[in-house]
Amino acid sequence: MHFLVLSLTVAVLMALCPSQAAAQQKATDADRLGMALEYFQSAKYHEALLIFQKLDKQYKLNPRFKAYMALCYYYEWDYKKAVGYFEKVLPLLGGLSPQELSVYHYAAGESYFQLHIYDKALAYFSRDLKLCYDREKGDIYYRIGLCHMFREEWQEAYDSYSLAEDYYLRYRDTTTLKARLAQIANMKRGCQPGIARDIDKIRSGILKQHPSTTAPVVSPWPATVDDSLWQ
């Protein structure tokens, strides 16, 4: 589970007229932005989003604030709007810490997952593996396993579940993960018939191309998981 630890600061709003009325408006809008950030930090995402939206119409908010808006949409389960914002702003956020970028990438991957767009979800989850803490990789590999399973990529799903299991055992308190570990074991068993079918298809293809060849029957399981994962 990702823990959202973001350092939120009020940025200067752009291109305001220097008149007294405009200066008062600037102060008011700065207060509104501060209120939006307080709502955001308090997990009141709907209230934060309403203020962000109004300010974004009046000013061109910077990419980081738009990333906050994307997270608001994500937590409000509006995944389509969330990915729309993430796609636009994530390429512009390279100067942020890996931990903050990890939050955005995981939310983008999860949004695409909920939209059943598994190739996009895999891309964001894979990038997040390079940004997140080791203790968070179990959750990410588990989601990657689900993506591959829904795509009927059985070997990739099995391997991802194995990696999720390994990271949970190494970096998390397993007393709180009994249900998840049991679920992973069931998922891995569910992948085995699909892997066997894929191997049969490969074997049949070899026999069709080379009818005189006897393709050996090889069990996939001894080579599926690297024994070093469990050492």
Side-chain angles (χ1 to χ4, degrees):
M1 184 101 185
H2 275 56
F3 296 93
L4 187 58
V5 183
L6 300 178
S7 174
L8 302 178
T9 57
V10 179
V12 177
L13 295 171
M14 300 177 61
L16 292 170
C17 177
S19 67
Q20 183 177 0
Q24 292 175 348
Q25 181 65 36
K26 176 181 177 180
T28 301
D29 289 337
D31 290 340
R32 291 169 65 198
L33 186 58
M35 184 181 297
L37 293 173
E38 288 181 8
Y39 281 137
F40 185 87
Q41 289 178 298
S42 302
K44 296 179 179 179
Y45 300 111
H46 179 72
E47 292 84 350
L49 184 58
L50 292 176
I51 299 175
F52 281 138
Q53 287 172 331
K54 290 178 181 177
L55 292 174
D56 195 38
K57 288 180 180 179
Q58 189 172 356
Y59 309 101
K60 187 177 180 181
L61 295 180
N62 69 36
R64 196 177 189 187
F65 284 122
K66 291 187 178 181
Y68 300 159
M69 293 177 68
L71 282 176
C72 289
Y73 282 120
Y74 166 70
Y75 286 118
E76 287 288 295
W77 305 315
D78 192 340
Y79 301 116
K80 189 172 182 179
K81 286 186 179 178
V83 297
Y85 272 84
F86 281 130
E87 288 287 350
K88 292 178 181 178
V89 303
L90 280 181
L92 306 176
L93 296 177
L96 301 182
S97 70
Q99 292 73 34
E100 184 172 344
L101 289 172
S102 173
V103 172
Y104 302 142
H105 280 77
Y106 186 87
E110 182 66 14
S111 296
Y112 274 120
F113 179 85
Q114 296 297 334
L115 293 170
H116 304 229
I117 306 175
Y118 300 117
D119 57 336
K120 287 279 194 177
L122 283 168
Y124 278 103
F125 286 139
S126 296
R127 292 174 203 156
D128 194 15
L129 288 171
K130 300 176 182 179
L131 300 167
C132 69
Y133 292 112
D134 285 337
R135 66 175 179 266
E136 297 168 332
K137 289 183 179 179
D139 290 332
I140 297 173
Y141 275 118
Y142 179 75
R143 302 310 270 180
I144 289 174
L146 290 174
C147 288
H148 284 303
M149 179 174 274
F150 287 127
R151 286 162 60 94
E152 298 186 357
E153 296 166 344
W154 305 109
Q155 184 66 62
E156 291 85 349
Y158 187 98
D159 293 343
S160 298
Y161 289 137
S162 296
L163 286 166
E165 191 173 37
D166 178 56
Y167 274 97
Y168 282 138
L169 293 172
R170 287 174 182 262
Y171 298 104
R172 297 281 291 276
D173 178 7
T174 55
T175 59
T176 64
L177 292 171
K178 291 181 180 179
R180 172 57 60 85
L181 292 171
Q183 189 176 29
I184 287 175
N186 289 333
M187 293 294 196
K188 288 169 69 176
R189 283 193 292 271
C191 290
Q192 292 176 2
I195 295 174
R197 286 194 299 270
D198 289 343
I199 290 174
D200 285 342
K201 289 179 182 178
I202 294 171
R203 184 170 179 269
S204 297
I206 293 173
L207 291 174
K208 286 180 180 179
Q209 292 178 6
H210 307 282
S212 61
T213 301
T214 301
V217 178
V218 180
S219 171
W221 308 121
T224 300
V225 181
D226 186 348
D227 290 339
S228 66
L229 291 176
W230 310 107
Q231 296 174 359

Coordinates of all heavy atoms in Angstrom, one line a residue, residues 155-212:
Q155 N 2.3 -17.2 -17.9 CA 3.7 -17.4 -17.3 C 4.1 -16.0 -16.7 O 4.6 -16.0 -15.6 CB 4.7 -17.8 -18.4 CG 6.1 -18.0 -17.9 CD 6.1 -19.2 -16.9 OE1 5.9 -20.3 -17.3 NE2 6.5 -19.0 -15.7
E156 N 3.8 -14.9 -17.4 CA 4.2 -13.6 -16.8 C 3.4 -13.4 -15.5 O 3.9 -12.8 -14.6 CB 3.9 -12.5 -17.8 CG 4.8 -12.5 -19.1 CD 4.3 -13.5 -20.2 OE1 3.4 -14.3 -19.9 OE2 4.9 -13.4 -21.3
A157 N 2.1 -13.8 -15.5 CA 1.3 -13.6 -14.3 C 1.9 -14.4 -13.2 O 2.0 -13.9 -12.0 CB -0.1 -14.0 -14.6
Y158 N 2.2 -15.7 -13.4 CA 2.8 -16.5 -12.4 C 4.1 -16.0 -11.8 O 4.3 -15.9 -10.6 CB 3.0 -17.9 -13.0 CG 3.5 -19.0 -12.0 CD1 2.5 -19.9 -11.5 CD2 4.8 -19.1 -11.6 CE1 2.9 -20.8 -10.6 CE2 5.2 -20.0 -10.7 CZ 4.2 -20.9 -10.2 OH 4.6 -21.8 -9.2
D159 N 4.9 -15.5 -12.7 CA 6.2 -14.9 -12.3 C 6.0 -13.7 -11.5 O 6.7 -13.4 -10.5 CB 7.1 -14.6 -13.5 CG 7.6 -15.9 -14.2 OD1 7.5 -17.0 -13.6 OD2 8.0 -15.8 -15.4
S160 N 5.0 -12.8 -11.8 CA 4.8 -11.6 -11.1 C 4.2 -11.9 -9.7 O 4.6 -11.3 -8.7 CB 3.8 -10.7 -11.9 OG 4.3 -10.3 -13.1
Y161 N 3.3 -12.9 -9.6 CA 2.8 -13.3 -8.3 C 3.9 -13.8 -7.4 O 3.9 -13.6 -6.2 CB 1.7 -14.4 -8.5 CG 0.4 -13.9 -9.1 CD1 -0.3 -14.6 -10.0 CD2 -0.2 -12.7 -8.6 CE1 -1.4 -14.1 -10.6 CE2 -1.3 -12.2 -9.2 CZ -2.0 -12.9 -10.1 OH -3.2 -12.5 -10.7
S162 N 4.8 -14.6 -8.0 CA 6.0 -15.1 -7.3 C 6.8 -14.0 -6.7 O 7.3 -14.0 -5.6 CB 6.8 -16.0 -8.1 OG 6.1 -17.2 -8.5
L163 N 7.0 -12.9 -7.5 CA 7.8 -11.8 -7.1 C 7.1 -11.0 -6.0 O 7.7 -10.5 -5.0 CB 8.2 -10.9 -8.2 CG 9.2 -11.4 -9.2 CD1 9.2 -10.6 -10.5 CD2 10.6 -11.3 -8.5
A164 N 5.8 -10.9 -6.1 CA 5.0 -10.2 -5.1 C 5.1 -11.0 -3.8 O 5.3 -10.4 -2.7 CB 3.5 -10.2 -5.5
E165 N 5.0 -12.3 -3.9 CA 5.1 -13.1 -2.7 C 6.5 -12.9 -2.0 O 6.6 -12.8 -0.8 CB 4.9 -14.6 -3.1 CG 4.8 -15.6 -1.9 CD 4.4 -16.9 -2.5 OE1 4.9 -17.3 -3.6 OE2 3.6 -17.6 -1.8
D166 N 7.5 -12.9 -2.8 CA 8.9 -12.7 -2.3 C 9.0 -11.4 -1.6 O 9.6 -11.3 -0.5 CB 9.9 -12.9 -3.4 CG 11.3 -12.7 -3.0 OD1 11.7 -13.4 -2.0 OD2 12.0 -11.8 -3.5
Y167 N 8.6 -10.3 -2.2 CA 8.7 -9.0 -1.6 C 7.9 -8.9 -0.3 O 8.3 -8.2 0.6 CB 8.4 -7.9 -2.6 CG 9.5 -7.5 -3.5 CD1 9.7 -8.0 -4.7 CD2 10.5 -6.6 -3.0 CE1 10.8 -7.7 -5.5 CE2 11.6 -6.2 -3.8 CZ 11.7 -6.8 -5.0 OH 12.8 -6.4 -5.8
Y168 N 6.7 -9.5 -0.3 CA 5.9 -9.5 0.9 C 6.7 -10.2 2.1 O 6.7 -9.7 3.2 CB 4.6 -10.1 0.7 CG 3.5 -9.3 0.0 CD1 2.7 -9.9 -1.0 CD2 3.3 -8.0 0.3 CE1 1.8 -9.2 -1.7 CE2 2.4 -7.2 -0.4 CZ 1.6 -7.8 -1.4 OH 0.7 -7.1 -2.0
L169 N 7.2 -11.3 1.7 CA 7.9 -12.1 2.8 C 9.2 -11.4 3.3 O 9.6 -11.5 4.4 CB 8.3 -13.5 2.2 CG 7.1 -14.4 1.9 CD1 7.6 -15.7 1.2 CD2 6.4 -14.8 3.2
R170 N 9.8 -10.6 2.4 CA 11.1 -10.0 2.7 C 10.9 -8.7 3.5 O 11.6 -8.3 4.4 CB 11.9 -9.7 1.5 CG 12.5 -10.9 0.8 CD 13.2 -10.5 -0.5 NE 13.8 -11.7 -1.2 CZ 15.1 -12.0 -1.1 NH1 15.9 -11.2 -0.4 NH2 15.6 -13.0 -1.8
Y171 N 9.9 -7.9 3.1 CA 9.8 -6.5 3.5 C 8.5 -6.1 4.2 O 8.4 -5.0 4.7 CB 9.9 -5.6 2.3 CG 11.3 -5.7 1.6 CD1 11.4 -6.4 0.4 CD2 12.4 -5.2 2.1 CE1 12.6 -6.5 -0.3 CE2 13.7 -5.3 1.5 CZ 13.7 -6.0 0.3 OH 14.9 -6.2 -0.4
R172 N 7.6 -7.0 4.4 CA 6.3 -6.7 5.1 C 6.1 -7.6 6.3 O 6.6 -8.7 6.3 CB 5.2 -6.7 4.1 CG 5.3 -5.8 2.9 CD 4.9 -4.4 3.3 NE 3.5 -4.3 3.5 CZ 2.6 -4.1 2.6 NH1 2.9 -4.0 1.3 NH2 1.3 -4.1 2.9
D173 N 5.2 -7.1 7.2 CA 4.8 -7.9 8.3 C 3.8 -8.9 7.8 O 2.6 -8.6 7.6 CB 4.2 -7.0 9.4 CG 3.7 -7.8 10.6 OD1 3.9 -9.0 10.6 OD2 3.1 -7.2 11.5
T174 N 4.2 -10.2 7.7 CA 3.3 -11.2 7.0 C 2.1 -11.5 7.9 O 1.1 -12.1 7.4 CB 4.1 -12.4 6.7 OG1 4.7 -12.9 7.8 CG2 5.1 -12.1 5.6
T175 N 2.1 -11.2 9.2 CA 1.0 -11.5 10.0 C -0.3 -10.7 9.6 O -1.4 -11.1 9.9 CB 1.3 -11.2 11.5 OG1 1.6 -9.8 11.6 CG2 2.5 -12.0 12.0
T176 N -0.1 -9.6 8.9 CA -1.2 -8.8 8.4 C -1.5 -9.1 6.9 O -2.4 -8.5 6.4 CB -0.9 -7.3 8.5 OG1 0.2 -7.0 7.7 CG2 -0.5 -7.0 10.0
L177 N -0.8 -10.1 6.4 CA -0.9 -10.4 4.9 C -1.3 -11.8 4.7 O -1.2 -12.3 3.5 CB 0.4 -10.1 4.2 CG 0.8 -8.6 4.2 CD1 2.3 -8.5 3.6 CD2 -0.1 -7.8 3.3
K178 N -1.9 -12.5 5.6 CA -2.2 -13.9 5.5 C -3.2 -14.1 4.3 O -3.1 -15.0 3.5 CB -2.8 -14.5 6.8 CG -1.7 -14.6 7.8 CD -2.3 -15.2 9.1 CE -1.2 -15.3 10.2 NZ -1.7 -15.9 11.4
A179 N -4.2 -13.2 4.3 CA -5.3 -13.3 3.2 C -4.6 -13.1 1.8 O -4.9 -13.8 0.9 CB -6.4 -12.4 3.5
R180 N -3.8 -12.1 1.7 CA -3.2 -11.7 0.5 C -2.2 -12.9 0.0 O -2.2 -13.3 -1.2 CB -2.4 -10.4 0.6 CG -1.5 -10.0 -0.6 CD -2.3 -10.0 -1.9 NE -3.4 -9.0 -1.9 CZ -3.3 -7.7 -2.2 NH1 -2.1 -7.2 -2.5 NH2 -4.3 -6.9 -2.2
L181 N -1.5 -13.4 0.9 CA -0.5 -14.5 0.6 C -1.3 -15.8 0.1 O -0.9 -16.5 -0.8 CB 0.4 -14.8 1.7 CG 1.4 -13.7 2.0 CD1 2.2 -14.1 3.3 CD2 2.4 -13.6 0.9
A182 N -2.4 -16.0 0.8 CA -3.3 -17.2 0.4 C -3.9 -16.9 -0.9 O -4.0 -17.9 -1.8 CB -4.4 -17.4 1.5
Q183 N -4.3 -15.7 -1.2 CA -4.8 -15.4 -2.5 C -3.8 -15.5 -3.6 O -4.1 -16.0 -4.7 CB -5.3 -13.9 -2.5 CG -6.1 -13.5 -3.7 CD -6.7 -12.2 -3.6 OE1 -6.1 -11.3 -2.9 NE2 -7.8 -11.9 -4.3
I184 N -2.5 -15.1 -3.3 CA -1.5 -15.3 -4.3 C -1.2 -16.8 -4.6 O -1.1 -17.1 -5.8 CB -0.2 -14.6 -3.8 CG1 -0.3 -13.1 -3.9 CG2 1.1 -15.1 -4.6 CD1 0.9 -12.4 -3.3
A185 N -1.2 -17.6 -3.6 CA -1.1 -19.0 -3.8 C -2.2 -19.6 -4.7 O -1.9 -20.4 -5.6 CB -1.1 -19.8 -2.5
N186 N -3.4 -19.1 -4.5 CA -4.5 -19.6 -5.4 C -4.3 -19.0 -6.8 O -4.6 -19.8 -7.8 CB -5.8 -19.1 -4.8 CG -6.2 -19.8 -3.5 OD1 -5.9 -20.9 -3.3 ND2 -7.0 -19.1 -2.7
M187 N -3.9 -17.8 -6.9 CA -3.7 -17.3 -8.3 C -2.6 -18.0 -9.0 O -2.7 -18.3 -10.2 CB -3.3 -15.8 -8.2 CG -4.4 -14.9 -7.6 SD -5.8 -14.7 -8.7 CE -6.6 -13.3 -8.1
K188 N -1.5 -18.4 -8.3 CA -0.5 -19.1 -9.0 C -1.0 -20.5 -9.5 O -0.6 -20.9 -10.6 CB 0.7 -19.3 -8.0 CG 1.5 -18.0 -7.8 CD 2.5 -18.1 -6.7 CE 3.6 -19.0 -7.0 NZ 4.6 -19.0 -5.9
R189 N -1.8 -21.1 -8.6 CA -2.3 -22.4 -9.0 C -3.3 -22.2 -10.2 O -3.3 -23.1 -11.1 CB -3.1 -23.1 -7.9 CG -2.2 -23.7 -6.9 CD -3.0 -24.6 -5.9 NE -3.9 -23.8 -5.1 CZ -3.6 -23.3 -3.9 NH1 -2.3 -23.5 -3.4 NH2 -4.4 -22.6 -3.2
G190 N -4.0 -21.1 -10.3 CA -4.9 -20.8 -11.4 C -4.1 -20.6 -12.7 O -4.7 -20.8 -13.8
C191 N -2.9 -20.1 -12.6 CA -2.1 -19.9 -13.8 C -1.6 -21.2 -14.4 O -1.3 -21.2 -15.6 CB -0.9 -19.0 -13.5 SG -1.3 -17.3 -13.1
Q192 N -1.4 -22.2 -13.6 CA -0.7 -23.4 -14.1 C -1.4 -24.1 -15.3 O -0.7 -24.5 -16.2 CB -0.5 -24.4 -12.9 CG 0.4 -23.9 -11.9 CD 0.6 -24.8 -10.7 OE1 -0.1 -25.9 -10.6 NE2 1.4 -24.4 -9.7
P193 N -2.7 -24.2 -15.3 CA -3.3 -24.8 -16.5 C -3.1 -24.0 -17.7 O -2.9 -24.5 -18.8 CB -4.8 -24.9 -16.1 CG -4.9 -24.9 -14.7 CD -3.7 -24.0 -14.2
G194 N -3.1 -22.7 -17.6 CA -2.9 -21.8 -18.8 C -1.4 -21.9 -19.3 O -1.2 -21.9 -20.5
I195 N -0.5 -22.1 -18.4 CA 0.9 -22.3 -18.8 C 1.0 -23.6 -19.5 O 1.7 -23.7 -20.5 CB 1.8 -22.2 -17.5 CG1 1.8 -20.8 -16.9 CG2 3.3 -22.6 -17.9 CD1 2.6 -20.7 -15.6
A196 N 0.4 -24.6 -19.0 CA 0.4 -25.9 -19.6 C -0.2 -25.9 -21.0 O 0.4 -26.5 -22.0 CB -0.3 -27.0 -18.7
R197 N -1.3 -25.2 -21.2 CA -1.9 -25.0 -22.5 C -1.0 -24.3 -23.5 O -0.8 -24.7 -24.6 CB -3.2 -24.3 -22.4 CG -4.3 -25.1 -21.8 CD -5.7 -24.5 -22.0 NE -5.8 -23.1 -21.4 CZ -6.2 -22.9 -20.2 NH1 -6.5 -23.9 -19.4 NH2 -6.2 -21.7 -19.7
D198 N -0.3 -23.3 -23.0 CA 0.6 -22.5 -23.8 C 1.8 -23.4 -24.3 O 2.2 -23.4 -25.4 CB 1.2 -21.3 -23.1 CG 0.1 -20.2 -22.9 OD1 -0.9 -20.3 -23.6 OD2 0.3 -19.3 -22.1
I199 N 2.3 -24.2 -23.4 CA 3.4 -25.2 -23.7 C 2.9 -26.2 -24.8 O 3.6 -26.5 -25.7 CB 3.9 -25.9 -22.5 CG1 4.7 -24.9 -21.6 CG2 4.8 -27.0 -22.8 CD1 5.1 -25.4 -20.3
D200 N 1.7 -26.7 -24.6 CA 1.1 -27.6 -25.6 C 1.0 -27.0 -26.9 O 1.2 -27.6 -28.0 CB -0.3 -28.1 -25.1 CG -0.2 -29.1 -23.9 OD1 0.9 -29.7 -23.8 OD2 -1.2 -29.3 -23.2
K201 N 0.6 -25.7 -27.0 CA 0.5 -25.0 -28.3 C 1.8 -24.9 -28.9 O 2.0 -25.1 -30.1 CB -0.1 -23.6 -28.1 CG -1.6 -23.6 -27.7 CD -2.1 -22.2 -27.5 CE -3.5 -22.2 -27.1 NZ -4.0 -20.8 -26.8
I202 N 2.9 -24.6 -28.1 CA 4.2 -24.5 -28.7 C 4.7 -25.8 -29.2 O 5.2 -25.9 -30.3 CB 5.2 -23.9 -27.6 CG1 4.8 -22.5 -27.2 CG2 6.6 -24.0 -28.1 CD1 5.6 -22.0 -26.1
R203 N 4.4 -26.9 -28.4 CA 4.8 -28.2 -28.8 C 4.1 -28.6 -30.1 O 4.7 -29.2 -31.0 CB 4.5 -29.2 -27.7 CG 4.9 -30.6 -27.9 CD 4.8 -31.4 -26.6 NE 5.2 -32.8 -26.8 CZ 4.3 -33.8 -27.2 NH1 3.0 -33.5 -27.4 NH2 4.8 -35.0 -27.4
S204 N 2.8 -28.3 -30.2 CA 2.0 -28.7 -31.4 C 2.5 -27.9 -32.6 O 2.6 -28.5 -33.7 CB 0.5 -28.3 -31.2 OG 0.0 -29.1 -30.1
G205 N 2.9 -26.7 -32.4 CA 3.5 -25.9 -33.5 C 4.8 -26.5 -34.0 O 5.0 -26.5 -35.2
I206 N 5.6 -27.0 -33.1 CA 6.9 -27.6 -33.5 C 6.6 -28.9 -34.3 O 7.2 -29.1 -35.3 CB 7.7 -27.9 -32.2 CG1 8.2 -26.6 -31.6 CG2 8.9 -28.8 -32.6 CD1 8.9 -26.8 -30.2
L207 N 5.6 -29.7 -33.8 CA 5.3 -30.9 -34.5 C 4.7 -30.7 -35.9 O 5.0 -31.4 -36.8 CB 4.3 -31.7 -33.7 CG 4.9 -32.3 -32.3 CD1 3.8 -33.0 -31.5 CD2 6.0 -33.3 -32.7
K208 N 4.0 -29.6 -36.0 CA 3.4 -29.3 -37.4 C 4.5 -28.9 -38.3 O 4.4 -29.2 -39.5 CB 2.4 -28.2 -37.2 CG 1.0 -28.6 -36.6 CD 0.1 -27.5 -36.5 CE -1.3 -27.9 -35.9 NZ -2.2 -26.8 -35.7
Q209 N 5.5 -28.1 -37.8 CA 6.6 -27.6 -38.7 C 7.5 -28.8 -39.0 O 8.2 -28.8 -40.0 CB 7.3 -26.5 -38.0 CG 6.4 -25.2 -37.9 CD 7.2 -24.1 -37.2 OE1 8.4 -24.2 -36.9 NE2 6.5 -23.0 -37.0
H210 N 7.7 -29.7 -38.0 CA 8.7 -30.8 -38.2 C 8.0 -32.1 -37.8 O 8.1 -32.6 -36.7 CB 9.9 -30.5 -37.3 CG 10.5 -29.2 -37.5 ND1 11.3 -28.9 -38.6 CD2 10.4 -28.1 -36.8 CE1 11.7 -27.7 -38.5 NE2 11.2 -27.1 -37.4
P211 N 7.1 -32.6 -38.7 CA 6.3 -33.8 -38.4 C 7.2 -35.0 -37.9 O 6.7 -35.8 -37.1 CB 5.6 -34.1 -39.7 CG 5.6 -32.8 -40.4 CD 6.9 -32.2 -40.0
S212 N 8.4 -35.1 -38.3 CA 9.2 -36.2 -38.0 C 9.9 -36.1 -36.6 O 10.6 -37.0 -36.1 CB 10.3 -36.5 -39.1 OG 11.2 -35.3 -39.1

